[in-house]
Amino acid sequence: EFLIVKAKVRDVLALRYETPFFFEHGSVSLEKRGGNCIDHAHVHAVPCADVSSKIVSELVAESVTNLCEIKVLFQQEIPYLYYEDRKGGIFLFKLHEPIPRQYVRRLIATAALSKEWDWRTFPQWGRYLKTVEVLRGVFQCLQLIHQIGLSRV
């Protein structure tokens, strides 16, 4: 199910913005965080500049062929950073040392020449609400197309 939802999100974001990349800061406990501040799995879909080259230059990636490999890291209590580039290339970084909070957001902001990476300091509610409004319409259109059988989406 996750892969189906991720593919639909990719399609919607590519349709409205540009093809996104995906990432997750993998926490395994309250003490062993993967650069995040939320202690549960959630994947970010980001339709902006791909920052994989910066991450790969700073962290050591492991080859991943199956997302189930993340489960092994969780069971071994090894924090991780999961990153999927726009072409579907998957990078898994074991985080033996902590990375900064909001690590990927910082890289995205830097690439956009912004210092507003911290959502707590710069919540940008207007941008958030506009995005929800725009994407709600796109998802509703896709749902209608699916209901009348015009597409595989």
Side-chain angles (χ1 to χ4, degrees):
E1 287 181 33
F2 168 73
L3 296 177
I4 293 168
V5 170
K6 186 170 66 90
K8 287 185 180 184
V9 168
R10 179 188 303 273
D11 290 347
V12 166
L13 292 178
L15 181 67
R16 183 56 182 95
Y17 300 105
E18 59 184 285
T19 302
F21 64 85
F22 297 88
F23 75 93
E24 182 209 6
H25 296 105
S27 289
V28 294
S29 70
L30 290 174
E31 296 79 32
K32 296 181 178 181
R33 297 176 176 267
N36 70 343
C37 53
I38 306 293
D39 190 28
H40 64 264
H42 61 280
V43 176
H44 302 259
V46 186
C48 70
D50 192 334
V51 294
S52 61
S53 60
K54 181 68 172 163
I55 296 171
V56 170
S57 73
E58 293 181 359
L59 304 172
V60 178
E62 298 205 3
S63 175
V64 177
T65 56
N66 188 321
L67 291 180
C68 293
E69 294 176 45
I70 293 173
K71 183 178 180 181
V72 174
L73 292 181
F74 183 81
Q75 290 170 334
Q76 295 173 346
E77 295 190 2
I78 300 171
Y80 60 88
L81 173 63
Y82 159 83
Y83 189 94
E84 181 177 333
D85 67 21
R86 290 182 172 152
K87 297 176 185 173
I90 297 173
F91 302 90
L92 188 60
F93 304 90
K94 291 181 182 179
L95 302 176
H96 298 290
E97 298 294 324
I99 59 175
R101 184 176 77 80
Q102 302 284 316
Y103 173 70
V104 177
R105 287 180 64 99
R106 291 177 192 220
L107 295 178
I108 294 166
T110 300
L113 304 176
S114 173
K115 295 181 181 181
E116 298 183 2
W117 57 267
D118 189 339
W119 62 269
R120 288 181 178 156
T121 304
F122 305 100
Q124 301 183 18
W125 287 112
R127 180 180 284 180
Y128 167 79
L129 293 172
K130 181 179 178 184
T131 302
V132 168
E133 181 181 322
V134 167
L135 293 180
R136 179 181 293 132
V138 177
F139 276 106
Q140 287 172 342
C141 286
L142 288 177
Q143 183 179 14
L144 178 61
I145 290 169
H146 178 71
Q147 287 174 348
I148 61 175
L150 295 177
S151 173
R152 64 167 182 81
V153 179

